[in-house]
Amino acid sequence: MEIINWKELLYPYEQAVEELLLKFKNLDKECRHLGIYSPVDSVTGRLKTPASILDKAGRKHIAPEHIEEEIEDIAGIRILCQFVEDIQKVVDMVRSRTDMTIVQEKDYITNTKASGYRTPLWMPRSFPTSLGPKEVFAEIQIRTNAMNFWATAEHSLRYKYSGNIPQELQDRLHNCAEAAFHLDQEMSTIREEITNAQRLNEIRRKMTSNILDNIRKLHFMLNLEDMSAINKEFSDVWNSNDIDKLREFNERLNVLVEVYRI
C-alpha cells in the first residue's frame, strides 16, 4: 500500500475550508450590516480525517493514488438556513460567484430526500504546497436546521451499523424525516412573522447599543443628577418593549450628545 503524507495532502483542503468559512460568514455579516435579510443562519466547516478518508476509499474501492481525484468531500462546508425557501437563495449566491465553479449539484429537496441540498463544488483557486500550487474539491451542504438534525442522526446510525440499519430503526428514521419535513412546512407558513420579529429585534439591538454608547459619552458631560434621570428613563423605555419609544429616546440622545460635543 502506498504511504500517504497526510499532512501534505490535507493542507490545501484545510485552507479551502478556512477560506470558504470566511467567505460565507462575511456574506452573512454584510447582509446583516446592510439591514438585508440573510438566508444564512450558520456556517460550519470540517476536514475529513485520514481514517474517514481511508474508510470511504475502502468502501468505494478507490486506490490510494486516486483518493484526491475520486473523493470530493475531503473539504466540507455546511450552511444551515431557517427556511426551505432560503436554500435556493444560498444556491443562487453560490452560482453567482466567480471565485468558485460548480461541478455537480444534487438537489435532494426536489427529489424529496430528507438530507437536504448537497452541492459539491470545484474551487478553481490555487493553494501553495511543497510541490507547487494545486486545485481542490470542496463540498457545500445547504440544509435547513430541521433537515440537518435528521441527517446528522441518520449519518451516525449508518456508521454504527456499517450501512445496514435495522428495519425498525429505518422505519423510525423515516417517521423522523416526515416530521422534519412537516416542521419545515409549518415554519414556512409563519416565515414572514418570524423574519419581521427578527428584524425588529435586530433594530432594537442596534438602537440599544447606540443608546448605551451615548450614555457612556454623556457620563463625562453631564452632572450626576441629569445622568440619573437619563438612566431611569432608559430603564423605563427598555422595559416598556415599545420600539417607537426606544427610537424616540435614541434620537434625543443623539441630539444631546451632538449639542454637548459642540
Side-chain angles (χ1 to χ4, degrees):
M1 181 178 179
E2 180 181 328
I3 297 175
I4 300 173
N5 185 335
W6 289 106
K7 189 173 183 180
E8 181 181 289
L9 184 147
L10 292 177
Y11 181 65
Y13 293 93
E14 183 180 350
Q15 286 186 294
V17 169
E18 290 176 359
E19 182 172 323
L20 283 170
L21 278 174
L22 184 63
K23 286 180 188 298
F24 287 107
K25 285 182 178 180
N26 283 343
L27 187 150
D28 178 44
K29 283 181 182 178
E30 183 180 359
C31 286
R32 296 179 192 278
H33 177 72
L34 296 174
I36 302 169
Y37 174 74
S38 173
V40 176
D41 190 45
S42 63
V43 188
T44 56
R46 67 103 183 95
L47 192 66
K48 269 189 179 297
T49 63
S52 180
I53 294 170
L54 289 174
D55 180 56
K56 187 166 186 175
R59 283 187 283 110
K60 293 184 174 291
H61 308 291
I62 298 171
E65 62 270 20
H66 297 305
I67 281 176
E68 290 192 88
E69 300 167 26
E70 299 187 40
I71 297 182
E72 300 173 345
D73 62 343
I74 293 176
I77 295 292
R78 183 172 296 159
I79 301 173
L80 298 186
C81 306
Q82 293 188 90
F83 309 102
V84 174
E85 294 85 354
D86 292 340
I87 292 176
Q88 188 58 49
K89 293 179 181 178
V90 177
V91 172
D92 291 340
M93 287 178 174
V94 173
R95 287 175 178 161
S96 68
R97 298 194 70 99
T98 58
D99 55 352
M100 56 183 76
T101 303
I102 298 176
V103 169
Q104 182 185 20
E105 294 186 24
K106 296 180 184 178
D107 184 350
Y108 290 151
I109 294 178
T110 303
N111 296 331
T112 65
K113 292 186 179 180
S115 55
Y117 196 117
R118 296 162 60 93
T119 309
L121 299 179
W122 172 254
M123 290 186 59
R125 183 176 293 277
S126 296
F127 294 95
T129 71
S130 59
L131 301 176
K134 68 185 295 182
E135 296 175 338
V136 299
F137 280 109
E139 181 188 67
I140 294 182
Q141 299 176 340
I142 309 171
R143 302 169 173 166
T144 64
N145 290 306
M147 289 174 188
N148 188 60
F149 178 79
W150 182 91
T152 302
E154 192 262 359
H155 179 76
S156 298
L157 288 172
R158 285 204 178 278
Y159 266 90
K160 178 180 178 180
Y161 292 100
S162 301
N164 300 309
I165 302 175
Q167 188 58 49
E168 181 192 357
L169 264 181
Q170 287 188 43
D171 294 340
R172 293 167 73 178
L173 271 174
H174 177 75
N175 292 336
C176 289
E178 287 294 311
F181 172 74
H182 289 300
L183 175 59
D184 276 333
Q185 280 191 318
E186 285 298 311
M187 288 290 286
S188 291
T189 65
I190 56 173
R191 180 174 182 270
E192 187 174 351
E193 287 291 331
I194 294 171
T195 53
N196 283 342
Q198 290 172 337
R199 194 175 297 112
L200 280 175
N201 284 336
E202 181 65 14
I203 291 171
R204 190 169 188 254
R205 184 194 66 78
K206 287 182 178 179
M207 283 197 294
T208 301
S209 177
N210 189 65
I211 287 170
L212 292 174
D213 187 50
N214 280 337
I215 287 176
R216 180 187 61 79
K217 292 173 183 175
L218 289 170
H219 177 77
F220 299 99
M221 303 173 183
L222 302 178
N223 59 46
L224 187 60
E225 184 178 343
D226 289 337
M227 283 307 305
S228 294
I230 287 174
N231 280 314
K232 183 180 183 308
E233 185 177 359
F234 171 58
S235 178
D236 291 341
V237 170
W238 173 261
N239 290 325
S240 72
N241 286 320
D242 188 322
I243 193 75
D244 292 325
K245 287 183 179 179
L246 192 69
R247 184 179 289 108
E248 187 271 336
F249 182 67
N250 181 48
E251 290 171 356
R252 281 198 289 115
L253 281 193
N254 285 338
V255 172
L256 192 60
V257 166
E258 285 304 311
V259 167
Y260 275 89
R261 182 175 291 159
I262 294 170

